[in-house]
Amino acid sequence: MNHQPPLDQRIVDEYFRLVSSRKTKSIAWLYGMVATYGVKPEELSSFVWNTDSSISIANRKRSVRPLHPQWVFLFELKEKQPRDLQSCYTFLCSHLYESMAFQHVQLNITDLILAHRLRKNHYKQIKQPLASCPAYAVAS
């Protein structure tokens, strides 16, 4: 039996379901960050926004770009980031994992990261030019 990653629309729907519920509104931002950037919640404890909507994480050499840049704006991740992230970060992570355990969140972190990695690899293959196809010059 193969485990299929969630569709993008299902991830977006789940995010907005979390935002609209009083119980899960506080974790929606963290959920959106995981879905958009494909990193574990623990890695987001001390990140910095870059001007191109990518994020820099302390233990990574390169900045992490969003797979779907429009999700940064759709989920309003910059605007909805908690003001004092360092002080409430442990609570956010534990509340997210607790909500998954009690099934208030239908998609778990593993599903989100799996979906991100598979799509990233797929998009990378599409963007690469075919090396075996020579470019032909067109004379006019």
Side-chain angles (χ1 to χ4, degrees):
M1 183 169 132
N2 291 337
H3 181 72
Q4 296 293 323
L7 299 173
D8 288 348
Q9 187 59 49
R10 185 167 176 218
I11 294 171
V12 170
D13 291 343
E14 178 71 7
Y15 173 82
F16 285 110
R17 191 184 66 75
L18 292 173
V19 168
S20 64
S21 172
R22 199 182 81 210
K23 284 184 180 179
T24 57
K25 189 173 186 172
S26 64
I27 60 169
W29 174 81
L30 185 56
Y31 180 90
M33 289 293 289
V34 171
T36 304
Y37 292 98
V39 295
K40 296 177 183 174
E42 296 79 19
E43 293 181 89
L44 292 168
S45 63
S46 59
F47 76 93
V48 177
W49 288 104
N50 298 325
T51 55
D52 62 349
S53 295
S54 64
I55 57 174
S56 295
I57 299 175
N59 61 351
R60 294 198 180 192
K61 291 180 183 178
R62 295 183 181 184
S63 61
V64 180
R65 301 181 55 81
L67 184 61
H68 298 300
Q70 66 273 20
W71 282 6
V72 176
F73 302 105
L74 182 66
F75 299 158
E76 298 176 333
L77 296 175
K78 289 183 179 182
E79 294 81 9
K80 291 184 178 179
Q81 178 180 343
R83 286 188 183 99
D84 192 10
L85 185 60
Q86 295 300 322
S87 65
C88 68
Y89 197 77
T90 305
F91 168 76
L92 281 176
C93 283
S94 63
H95 189 50
L96 177 62
Y97 287 121
E98 182 181 299
S99 294
M100 285 188 302
F102 290 119
Q103 297 186 350
H104 297 284
V105 179
Q106 295 172 0
L107 298 174
N108 64 35
I109 300 301
T110 308
D111 288 338
L112 294 176
I113 293 173
L114 173 67
H116 187 277
R117 286 187 182 151
L118 290 174
R119 287 181 180 88
K120 184 177 178 180
N121 289 337
H122 177 72
Y123 294 151
K124 205 182 284 185
Q125 291 172 359
I126 291 173
K127 288 181 182 179
Q128 289 177 348
L130 296 174
S132 62
C133 295
Y136 294 103
V138 178
S140 44

